[in-house]
Amino acid sequence: MAVRVLMVDDSVFVRDVRRHHLECIGCEVVAEAENTLSALDLFRTVSPTLVTLDVAVLHTGGIGALALFRIMRSEKPGVPILVVSASAYPEIRKAFLREGALDYVIKPFDSTSFEPV
């Protein structure tokens, strides 16, 4: 069974690139969201088995993304959330990892960024 991925990123280009990388390793992208409201609706309806979440989600930025992350974790704690960001600030990375993120991947990335270790 393929990993069912919900991608949350405000950039269509980045979502296209990420979809390509995820599909190359056998994942199925079941939904894409460009903002936190649609991300939360989709999270509740498409039953993803993995979420990739950009820290700089449209209209909310890091704090909004962290709030969205916390809601998702509380509603479906078994769904891993992979945080993807261009921000390499250690404080932001630590905050998401402390909250239970699967990992924190820095953009730019390639297919190996999403392969399990």
Side-chain angles (χ1 to χ4, degrees):
M1 178 195 270
V3 174
R4 297 172 43 83
V5 181
L6 165 60
M7 291 190 306
V8 183
D9 198 302
D10 60 332
S11 168
V12 174
F13 173 76
V14 171
R15 289 196 315 264
D16 287 346
V17 171
R18 191 175 311 148
R19 182 183 326 98
H20 169 76
H21 291 307
L22 289 166
E23 289 173 349
C24 283
I25 60 170
C27 295
E28 176 189 5
V29 177
V30 294
E32 300 178 22
E34 67 177 355
N35 60 55
T36 55
L37 291 177
S38 63
L40 199 50
D41 287 342
L42 289 167
F43 181 74
R44 291 173 173 150
T45 58
V46 301
S47 300
T49 56
L50 174 69
V51 175
T52 64
L53 173 63
D54 179 31
V55 171
V57 179
L58 191 64
H59 302 303
T60 59
I63 293 171
L66 186 56
L68 171 65
F69 178 88
R70 287 178 176 150
I71 292 168
M72 287 188 209
R73 295 283 297 157
S74 68
E75 290 186 6
K76 296 181 184 178
V79 176
I81 301 174
L82 178 65
V83 178
V84 182
S85 177
S87 172
Y89 290 113
E91 301 81 24
I92 295 173
R93 182 180 189 277
K94 287 178 188 174
F96 279 97
L97 292 175
R98 188 173 43 248
E99 292 290 330
L102 174 65
D103 202 352
Y104 189 98
V105 178
I106 306 293
K107 296 178 198 177
F109 46 77
D110 58 26
S111 296
T112 61
S113 300
F114 299 103
E115 291 177 356
V117 240

